[in-house]
Amino acid sequence: MGRPPCCDKIGVKKGPWTPEEDILLVTYIQEHGPGNWRAVPTSTGLLRCSKSCRLRWTNYLRPGIKRGNFTDHEEKMIIHLQALLGNRWAAIASYLPQRTDNDIKNYWNTHLKKKLKKLQSGSEGEGYNRDAILSSQATSRGQWEKRLQTDIHMAKQALCEALSIEKPEATTSTICETKPKPTTTQPYTYASSTENIARLLQGFMRKNSPKPTTNKHNSLSSAASSEVTSTTPSTTAPHSNNGIDLSEAFESLFGFESFESSNSDSSQPMSPDASLFQGESKPDISAQLPLSLLEKWLFDEGGCAGAVSAAAQEHADLADMTLDENPDLF
DNA sequence: AACCGTCCCAACCGCCTCGGA
DNA sequence: CTCCGAGGCGGTTGGGACGGT
């Protein structure tokens, strides 16, 4: 049995979020900043539990999130970090600031696990350099472990830095998720968040209009189109054929410019505002030394490829090794 | 066109940690 | 020091999308 679910209360809505709910949530966070999630449902009138609001924000609405289209670079990064850190998705996500832990987890479970399995079973990898992987097997374990230890140490430092909440340099972009700035601060810039929602709305509109090309990643769940009967004030727009109005209203509400280009193109650079938000919950350590070093190693053909198979195979051992033999590491 | 199986991902669940009272 | 609640995290799942027959 255990503890009753936090969202077990009557009247708490579950399931896919509607655009109206998203707007409510974003509007609230725009005013108050992320954090104090418990207050969100009561303050916004959302019939959602605080947890659901937090998840929606962190996994979907948060500025600077890139969705879908994992690049080869990201893919390798995930593979190596998974080998290095195990299923600590949040830690892994901290190295990929534009990705959420949920996204990475999903991608791992649906794509990378299979891919690695395939590779290990000897079949040709899609897009992977098998030679490199095979050659990696020649890499001596001792060498690999030695390297790994060094890199774990660097990773640890990076994580420590990242997790030690506020670095001086972060002051310009800081929106501390756990402890929002005092109310003296100016309203948050919100462009990139609105971009996120705009994408949702676009998908939503597409979905409700005579079926153009679908973009799975940006579309809303169908529930959004069917179950919205609520009479949410101001931002509410009936779905039937005035999605554009909704979009325009949204646009004017937040004053963002164009979201046409902000689809899930992985190579697309984030907007300045998005980058501003990077430090919000995931420190952008990619700009810092430890990551670049780690990356250098990760993507160094020899060591990198070595890491893939060796790490995959030795993962459990390594985990033990690093924890047992290096208790000071973590 | 209809049905069926598989894939994928958003969201939920439950446990854990941490901080405040 | 203990208790309790909020937030964080990883595992899991429900259901829509998609492809094959």
Side-chain angles (χ1 to χ4, degrees), chain A residues 201-212:
Chain A
L201 290 171
Q202 275 196 307
F204 172 71
M205 285 181 267
R206 273 197 223 108
K207 211 161 192 169
N208 288 299
S209 61
K211 192 113 186 175

Side-chain angles (χ1 to χ4, degrees), chain A residues 81 186 198 232 247 265 271 289:
Chain A
L81 286 169
Q186 71 281 17
T232 34
S247 141
D265 176 4
S271 68
L289 181 62

Side-chain angles (χ1 to χ4, degrees), chain A residues 12-80:
Chain A
V12 174
K13 194 175 164 219
K14 292 183 184 178
W17 282 65
T18 64
E20 285 81 4
E21 288 177 314
D22 284 337
I23 290 168
L24 279 175
L25 180 58
V26 169
T27 306
Y28 174 86
I29 293 174
Q30 183 191 24
E31 287 169 11
H32 301 90
N36 194 14
W37 296 108
R38 193 170 152 69
V40 174
T42 50
S43 302
T44 59
L46 282 168
L47 300 175
R48 298 277 181 173
C49 74
S50 56
K51 221 172 183 177
S52 183
C53 294
R54 181 175 56 81
L55 277 175
R56 182 64 181 171
W57 171 256
T58 54
N59 287 337
Y60 214 82
L61 300 175
R62 191 168 53 86
I65 290 179
K66 201 164 83 181
R67 311 196 62 79
N69 292 344
F70 279 76
T71 63
D72 201 43
H73 178 93
E74 287 174 315
E75 208 168 85
K76 286 178 180 174
M77 191 108 175
I78 292 169
I79 290 170
H80 301 323

Side-chain angles (χ1 to χ4, degrees), chain A residues 211-228:
Chain A
K211 192 113 186 175
T213 60
T214 57
N215 182 341
K216 194 177 176 185
H217 285 133
N218 292 336
S219 64
L220 281 170
S221 58
S222 66
S225 60
S226 62
E227 73 176 319
V228 181

Side-chain angles (χ1 to χ4, degrees), chain A residues 22-212:
Chain A
D22 284 337
I23 290 168
L24 279 175
L25 180 58
V26 169
T27 306
Y28 174 86
I29 293 174
Q30 183 191 24
E31 287 169 11
H32 301 90
N36 194 14
W37 296 108
R38 193 170 152 69
V40 174
T42 50
S43 302
T44 59
L46 282 168
L47 300 175
R48 298 277 181 173
C49 74
S50 56
K51 221 172 183 177
S52 183
C53 294
R54 181 175 56 81
L55 277 175
R56 182 64 181 171
W57 171 256
T58 54
N59 287 337
Y60 214 82
L61 300 175
R62 191 168 53 86
I65 290 179
K66 201 164 83 181
R67 311 196 62 79
N69 292 344
F70 279 76
T71 63
D72 201 43
H73 178 93
E74 287 174 315
E75 208 168 85
K76 286 178 180 174
M77 191 108 175
I78 292 169
I79 290 170
H80 301 323
L81 286 169
Q82 202 279 342
L84 203 63
L85 302 168
N87 291 357
R88 284 143 71 180
W89 306 116
I92 293 171
S94 70
Y95 287 89
L96 296 162
Q98 296 178 309
R99 302 292 187 180
T100 70
D101 55 351
N102 205 35
D103 218 12
I104 292 171
K105 182 171 60 182
N106 279 334
Y107 191 67
W108 173 266
N109 286 330
T110 55
H111 294 92
L112 298 181
K113 231 152 86 170
K114 288 177 199 165
K115 205 173 234 180
L116 282 179
K117 212 171 184 178
K118 218 172 176 181
L119 286 173
Q120 281 177 346
S121 69
S123 63
E124 211 44 67
E126 313 146 20
Y128 270 89
N129 182 351
R130 194 175 169 213
D131 288 342
I133 290 173
L134 289 176
S135 77
S136 73
Q137 289 169 349
T139 308
S140 75
R141 182 179 169 180
Q143 200 180 350
W144 149 247
E145 285 180 354
K146 203 170 178 182
R147 242 175 144 162
L148 179 66
Q149 286 201 22
T150 310
D151 292 311
I152 284 177
H153 190 64
M154 289 194 300
K156 178 204 166 194
Q157 285 182 329
L159 280 174
C160 285
E161 276 181 44
L163 294 175
S164 65
I165 304 250
E166 288 321 313
K167 290 165 285 188
E169 67 196 12
T171 50
T172 54
S173 61
T174 296
I175 296 176
C176 180
E177 197 167 40
T178 50
K179 300 200 187 310
K181 277 185 181 175
T183 52
T184 56
T185 55
Q186 71 281 17
Y188 295 105
T189 319
Y190 223 82
S192 50
S193 182
T194 54
E195 280 177 16
N196 280 344
I197 297 195
R199 290 203 297 265
L200 299 180
L201 290 171
Q202 275 196 307
F204 172 71
M205 285 181 267
R206 273 197 223 108
K207 211 161 192 169
N208 288 299
S209 61
K211 192 113 186 175

